[in-house]
């Protein structure tokens, strides 16, 4: 019951934040614009591999951008405002808070990614391997959020933390778009399947993030978290 109450309270905090709602709505709007480009054959003419590569970049990129906004307005704000110390003082374990924040963050920030995946799947009639790629993306997305939440508990400079995630993600999307032809050429030259290769990357990254986040969670305690004083600078 305590876990359900914590998750419910977390959802309430997320949905009352206007910045989170506006950002999520904007990402969903951009997702529909991307799908319109596919539907009108503006992007489909570039081939299936290009579509898979771009969809992969947007699914992961939009998921990270959305989760970063929620992370800043929930986990990081808790640290700055002192709300986290209050919650820990009531007897909650920081591990329970991180898990609740991560799962609720993942649920909302995954919406734009699902819109892109589902629309692309229907418009382009892609196969089961594309579905497998999407599933590997959302699993990776969850463990990335969990890792960021763990790291956030020990950050002092939150503005830098937010900006590094934001700009790194945008840079990743930009580079995928800029070098998409060269990447596809390498795949074709090496006779590699795009879906299979990207799934392999996701599995490797998920294993690394899972090991790191679980290790950090295992040794985390309330006292060590409260010792780190946070500031927005």
């Amino acid at each position: 019951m305590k876990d359900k109450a914590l998750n419910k309270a977390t959802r309430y905090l997320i949905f009352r934040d206007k910045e989170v709602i506006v950002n999520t709505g904007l990402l969903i709007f951009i997702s529909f614009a991307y799908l319109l480009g596919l539907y009108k054959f503006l992007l489909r003419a570039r081939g299936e591999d290009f579509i898979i590569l771009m969809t992969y970049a947007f699914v992961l990129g939009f998921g990270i951008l959305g989760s970063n906004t929620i992370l800043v307005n929930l986990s990081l704000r808790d640290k700055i405002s002192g709300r986290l110390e209050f919650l820990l003082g009531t007897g909650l374990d920081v591990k329970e808070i991180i898990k609740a924040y991560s799962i609720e963050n993942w649920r909302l920030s995954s919406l734009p990614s699902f819109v892109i995946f589902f629309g692309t799947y229907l418009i382009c009639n892609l196969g089961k391997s594309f579905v497998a790629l999407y599933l590997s993306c959302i699993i990776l997305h969850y463990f990335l959020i969990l890792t960021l939440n763990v790291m956030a508990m020990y950050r002092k400079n939150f503005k830098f933390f937010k900006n590094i995630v934001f700009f790194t993600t945008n840079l990743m999307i930009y580079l995928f778009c800029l070098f998409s032809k060269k990447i596809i050429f390498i795949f074709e030259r090496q006779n590699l399947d795009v879906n299979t290769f990207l799934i392999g990357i996701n599995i490797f990254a998920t294993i690394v993030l899972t090991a790191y986040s679980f290790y950090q969670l295992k040794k985390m305690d309330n006292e060590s978290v409260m010792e780190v004083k946070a500031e927005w600078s």
Side-chain angles (χ1 to χ4, degrees), residues 22-230:
V22 170
N23 184 73
T24 303
L26 179 62
L27 290 176
I28 291 176
F29 175 79
I30 297 174
S31 300
F32 278 113
Y34 171 74
L35 294 177
L36 182 62
L38 288 179
Y39 182 74
K40 293 294 185 179
F41 294 95
L42 298 176
L43 298 174
R44 292 172 66 183
R46 298 192 180 186
E48 187 175 294
D49 286 348
F50 173 82
I51 293 171
I52 293 172
L53 198 62
M54 290 301 94
T55 303
Y56 173 78
F58 283 124
V59 164
L60 270 184
F62 281 12
I64 297 171
L65 289 175
S67 59
N68 188 43
T69 302
I70 298 173
L71 180 72
V72 170
N73 289 276
L74 183 64
S75 304
L76 304 189
R77 183 174 292 176
D78 275 3
K79 287 279 291 182
I80 296 174
S81 67
R83 186 168 61 193
L84 179 64
E85 291 186 13
F86 170 77
L87 292 174
L88 296 179
T90 63
L92 285 174
D93 191 298
V94 66
K95 299 175 184 178
E96 297 173 342
I97 296 174
I98 289 176
K99 290 175 182 177
Y101 282 8
S102 297
I103 191 67
E104 297 303 329
N105 186 332
W106 177 70
R107 286 173 175 172
L108 181 59
S109 62
S110 295
L111 286 177
S113 300
F114 177 76
V115 170
I116 292 178
F117 155 73
F118 190 67
T120 304
Y121 181 78
L122 291 179
I123 294 171
C124 300
N125 193 29
L126 298 174
K128 294 181 180 179
S129 59
F130 183 70
V131 177
L133 175 61
Y134 170 71
L135 292 176
S136 69
C137 283
I138 61 173
I139 294 172
L140 171 59
H141 181 208
Y142 170 75
F143 284 104
L144 177 59
I145 292 173
L146 181 61
T147 299
L148 290 175
N149 268 297
V150 169
M151 294 173 64
M153 292 299 162
Y154 294 108
R155 295 306 98 190
K156 294 182 179 180
N157 188 329
F158 282 148
K159 188 174 183 180
F160 176 78
F161 184 76
K162 171 195 173 183
N163 289 338
I164 196 68
V165 175
F166 177 81
F167 287 113
T168 300
T169 303
N170 279 284
L171 179 62
M172 181 195 76
I173 297 174
Y174 173 75
L175 291 177
F176 261 89
C177 295
L178 183 64
F179 296 106
S180 58
K181 290 184 178 180
K182 293 183 178 180
I183 295 173
I184 292 171
F185 176 76
I186 293 174
F187 283 145
E188 292 176 346
R189 189 173 182 180
Q190 300 297 325
N191 197 26
L192 295 172
D193 179 70
V194 176
N195 274 315
T196 303
F197 184 81
L198 295 178
I199 290 172
I201 292 178
N202 286 353
I203 291 174
F204 174 77
T206 300
I207 292 173
V208 172
L209 292 177
T210 302
Y212 174 81
S213 59
F214 281 11
Y215 173 75
Q216 293 296 331
L217 275 174
K218 186 177 180 180
K219 67 177 186 177
M220 182 179 288
D221 56 67
N222 292 6
E223 289 74 17
S224 63
V225 171
M226 287 191 289
E227 285 176 359
V228 181
K229 300 301 179 182

